[in-house]
Amino acid sequence: MNADVLSYLRCPICELPLTESGAGPVRAVRCGRRHSFDIARQGYVNLSAGRAPHSGDTADMVQARQEFLDAGHYDFLSTALRDAAAGPVGPTGPAPPLVVDAGAGTGHHLARVLDRLPAAVGLALDVSKPALRRAARTHPRAAAALCDTWGRIPLADASAALLLNVFAPRNGPEFRRVLRPDGTLLVVVPAADHLRELVGPLRLLRVDPAKAERVAGSLGRHFEPVGESAHRRRLSLRRTEVRTLVRMGPSAWHAEPVRLAERLAALSEPISVTASVLLTAYRPR
């Protein structure tokens, strides 16, 4: 595990610092009270302490997300995050600044941000083991940990210079605790017209029109917005790409494969799809 990232991690049971032990395929991190947490052979560390209430995205969802992102369809979003991250991350003293992606999935966006910040290290947090297997290898300066970000995040107070939250749950009190006083939180949510051409024909979940306001309300006690930008692209997709898009998102839990195939067959190619998101930067109050 990346030693610089490890210096920021804390035991999820007693909150003491962690050190790595073991070698080869048998590795773990331990605290001074001998609480031990295994490092999987794929490279991520399990810091859930047995408290993860759900298993997150399935292997099929993760594979679909990897395919869709690798095809470049959401590069506009990665670019927006990179540009927004370029200014806020400053030095932290002897340790390199830490970028945390809460709900990182495969770590795709985290890797792009780290490319823009050569002095920083990154940590991908997620509850999905299939996602973390990929996130742990997504960038040479990144590490990955399994934890439920709805609970206490296994990081020291004021440790993160930058916190990313892309299409993922938000824990305002914990985000505020782990973010440096001069740090920045970047939150991405789908806009009301996101994937609008597919919602009706494919019976997908609709974006709550008031989602941005609800997100702002949930963070308002702990953060103040310092900037907001809308990012929109028209995607030209084949049916197979649309199927991949559906498989990677929340509608995958509800879309019955046979029905989805029938509805996809009724669409004419190429299929024009709106990808539309809101990116908001926050500073701690």
Side-chain angles (χ1 to χ4, degrees):
M1 166 164 278
N2 183 292
D4 291 316
V5 176
L6 183 59
S7 69
Y8 290 110
L9 291 175
R10 293 295 180 266
C11 174
I13 298 174
C14 66
E15 301 174 23
L16 288 178
L18 296 167
T19 57
E20 185 172 348
S21 63
V26 182
R27 295 186 298 148
V29 296
R30 292 184 173 88
C31 71
R33 294 182 180 173
R34 298 190 178 183
H35 299 129
S36 181
F37 309 94
D38 292 339
I39 298 176
R41 60 183 177 83
Q42 296 90 352
Y44 69 89
V45 61
N46 188 337
L47 294 179
S48 67
R51 293 195 293 262
H54 55 91
S55 57
D57 291 348
T58 65
D60 183 71
M61 294 172 71
V62 171
Q63 177 64 33
R65 182 173 294 113
Q66 186 81 56
E67 292 174 7
F68 197 81
L69 294 176
D70 285 351
H73 299 304
Y74 278 3
D75 279 358
F76 75 98
L77 174 52
S78 293
T79 298
L81 285 166
R82 288 178 58 179
D83 292 346
V89 179
T92 58
L98 176 67
V99 179
V100 176
D101 192 343
T106 64
H108 179 90
H109 299 303
L110 174 62
R112 302 312 181 272
V113 169
L114 289 175
D115 284 342
R116 188 66 172 265
L117 303 172
V121 293
L123 175 65
L125 300 175
D126 210 288
V127 293
S128 168
K129 291 182 179 179
L132 290 169
R133 290 175 189 133
R134 297 171 186 267
R137 302 190 299 267
T138 194
H139 197 279
R141 285 182 278 112
L146 192 154
C147 79
D148 178 18
T149 56
W150 279 118
R152 187 174 179 87
I153 297 173
L155 283 167
D157 294 354
S159 54
L162 179 66
L163 203 159
L164 311 178
N165 181 255
V166 183
F167 297 160
R170 292 153 299 279
N171 184 339
E174 274 299 280
F175 286 2
R176 176 64 184 86
R177 181 185 67 80
V178 303
L179 197 62
R180 284 167 28 185
D182 62 343
T184 301
L185 167 65
L186 297 179
V187 176
V188 176
V189 298
D193 59 342
H194 185 57
L195 310 184
R196 63 184 179 187
E197 296 86 356
L198 303 178
V199 170
L202 300 185
R203 311 292 196 272
L204 303 185
L205 298 176
R206 296 180 181 274
V207 176
D208 180 357
K211 186 174 183 65
E213 290 77 8
R214 289 194 300 103
V215 170
S218 71
L219 295 173
R221 290 182 56 193
H222 308 282
F223 294 92
E224 59 178 343
V226 293
E228 180 179 278
S229 54
H231 303 272
R232 183 177 286 105
R233 287 293 183 277
R234 299 286 290 179
L235 308 179
S236 182
L237 305 176
R238 301 187 303 275
R239 291 189 191 94
T240 54
E241 293 173 315
V242 171
R243 181 176 180 273
T244 300
L245 175 59
V246 175
R247 284 168 49 216
M248 78 183 221
S251 290
W253 297 105
H254 309 280
E256 199 279 320
V258 174
R259 295 287 188 185
L260 177 61
E262 292 173 351
R263 291 163 184 158
L264 276 171
L267 301 180
S268 300
E269 294 183 316
I271 303 163
S272 181
V273 178
T274 301
S276 181
V277 304
L278 293 175
L279 168 59
T280 306
Y282 294 89
R283 289 290 176 87
R285 289 191 183 279

